[in-house]
Amino acid sequence: MVTPAPLLLVAPTRLGRIERGAARWWCAALLLGLIAAAGLSEASARPAAELLHDSIVAAMRHGGRYYETFRDLARTAPDAGDARTLPPTLAAVSAAMPNWAMLLLVGAALAGLVAVGVQRLTPLFAGVAGQVLAALLLVAGTAAVALLWEQAPHAGWGALLAAYAVLLRRAERWGTAAALGCAAAVIDPAALLVPAVMAALALHDGTAREALGWLAALAVGGAVLGCHLWAIDAVAPPAPEAVLLSIAPPSALARLLGAGLPGAAPGLAAVLLMLALLGWATLPRALGPRVVALVLAGVAADGRVAGLHSATLAAALVAPGLAFAPDAIADLLRRAPGRRRITVTRVTR
């Protein structure tokens, strides 16, 4: 079987090696998915503002302690229910720094994410056009995280560090990525999904040492969350609430669309999300399946990890996936209409 030449990438996608029948099934599924996504009527949802977090940081700058301040302010704060499961890590750091220093830190982290993403993704493209497209989409994804941080600092840092962890992870160098995944979980418990997903995929790949590293990061994040919940329950006992179980919260997809593709209409954002997932899934590298797994796990577990919203964890990686979609679609269109070759051999006696 002759593998078709890539369109933008250095190597063909996973779809460039499938049979004609499978390619036709892929085309039908993609077409139906795009039609369903285009008809999405649910509006994109922006994360709720962390008003209590800002008030706690302001009080801590004037000598207040986190848990006592939480107990006093949570009585009237509208977001107290969501904020009680957030550890004091980010509040302590923010209170120790002036506003301008925190802005510089966030700006440096965002610029570093673009640099890391460009270094990781641009070698996958053969020409300047693909490299420029990937760089622009990386900037778009980083801007989406900046908007997310402005509205919800914990979710913004969680998405930022999750993107760092996924992009920096390599088969032979995963220590830094695991440390960043641990930092994300310590700041936002919803990011416990990052080391959990990465550990599961490492076990699937047969790299037990890497899996142990991610499990250690998961244990540290879980221990921090457990200690925090014990301390917060001692000063502000939770009110009994009914537990509702569902496959995925109905607003999880809307939250991902609003964070990863801000400003886009719901139908258009859903179509772009599907194309981005197609691009990541068909990328012939280990990076692609990890991004897809993080997106799907974040949407499925939204509201289940300490009651926090995990759908926004992959917000920075949605837009860059669109750079791989043209090659995936081109490989499908090349494979689907192909015909069987019949070789005629003429024998002369």
Side-chain angles (χ1 to χ4, degrees):
M1 180 183 295
V2 180
T3 303
L7 185 64
L8 295 175
L9 297 175
V10 174
T13 68
R14 300 177 190 271
L15 298 178
R17 299 184 295 269
I18 62 176
E19 299 292 338
R20 179 185 59 172
R24 290 183 174 180
W25 280 110
W26 270 89
C27 286
L30 178 61
L31 181 59
L32 291 176
L34 292 178
I35 293 175
L40 184 67
S41 58
E42 184 180 10
S44 300
R46 297 294 296 163
E50 296 180 358
L51 303 177
L52 183 57
H53 169 75
D54 297 337
S55 301
I56 291 176
V57 170
M60 291 178 66
R61 285 174 175 169
H62 292 83
R65 296 184 177 181
Y66 180 86
Y67 290 103
E68 288 77 4
T69 304
F70 180 91
R71 179 194 58 198
D72 297 336
L73 297 180
R75 300 168 183 171
T76 57
D79 58 333
D82 295 333
R84 69 177 293 110
T85 53
L86 295 173
T89 311
L90 184 58
V93 174
S94 301
M97 301 174 62
N99 288 332
W100 62 266
M102 178 57 69
L103 290 176
L104 284 179
L105 178 62
V106 173
L110 293 172
L113 179 61
V114 174
V116 168
V118 167
Q119 184 179 9
R120 183 68 192 276
L121 298 185
T122 51
L124 302 178
F125 294 89
V128 177
Q131 295 174 355
V132 171
L133 176 61
L136 292 177
L137 290 173
L138 278 167
V139 172
T142 306
V145 174
L147 294 176
L148 178 63
W149 172 84
E150 184 181 10
Q151 186 79 5
H154 285 87
W157 276 109
L160 181 62
L161 293 175
Y164 266 111
V166 174
L167 290 174
L168 286 175
R169 181 267 167 196
R170 294 179 184 270
E172 67 280 3
R173 295 193 303 271
W174 49 265
T176 303
L180 290 170
C182 180
V186 168
I187 293 176
D188 184 9
L192 287 169
L193 278 178
V194 177
V197 168
M198 300 294 275
L201 290 175
L203 287 175
H204 179 268
D205 294 341
T207 54
R209 186 176 180 183
E210 179 186 353
L212 288 176
W214 287 108
L215 289 176
L218 179 63
V220 172
V224 170
L225 176 61
C227 293
H228 166 69
L229 292 179
W230 176 81
I232 206 70
D233 288 345
V235 299
E241 297 179 356
V243 179
L244 299 178
L245 296 178
S246 60
I247 297 177
S251 59
L253 179 59
R255 192 172 292 109
L256 173 60
L257 296 178
L261 299 166
L268 176 61
V271 169
L272 294 178
L273 174 62
M274 180 165 291
L275 292 176
L277 289 178
L278 175 68
W280 281 119
T282 57
L283 186 67
R285 299 292 179 95
L287 174 62
R290 281 165 169 76
V291 174
V292 175
L294 182 60
V295 172
L296 297 181
V299 172
D302 189 74
R304 295 178 179 270
V305 182
L308 297 173
H309 300 305
S310 57
T312 60
L313 282 176
L317 302 173
V318 173
L322 294 171
F324 309 113
D327 276 83
I329 296 174
D331 286 341
L332 274 181
L333 296 179
R334 287 166 178 166
R335 285 297 181 183
R339 297 180 179 179
R340 296 179 180 177
R341 296 183 179 180
I342 300 176
T343 303
V344 179
T345 304
R346 181 179 298 178
V347 180
T348 304
R349 292 183 179 179

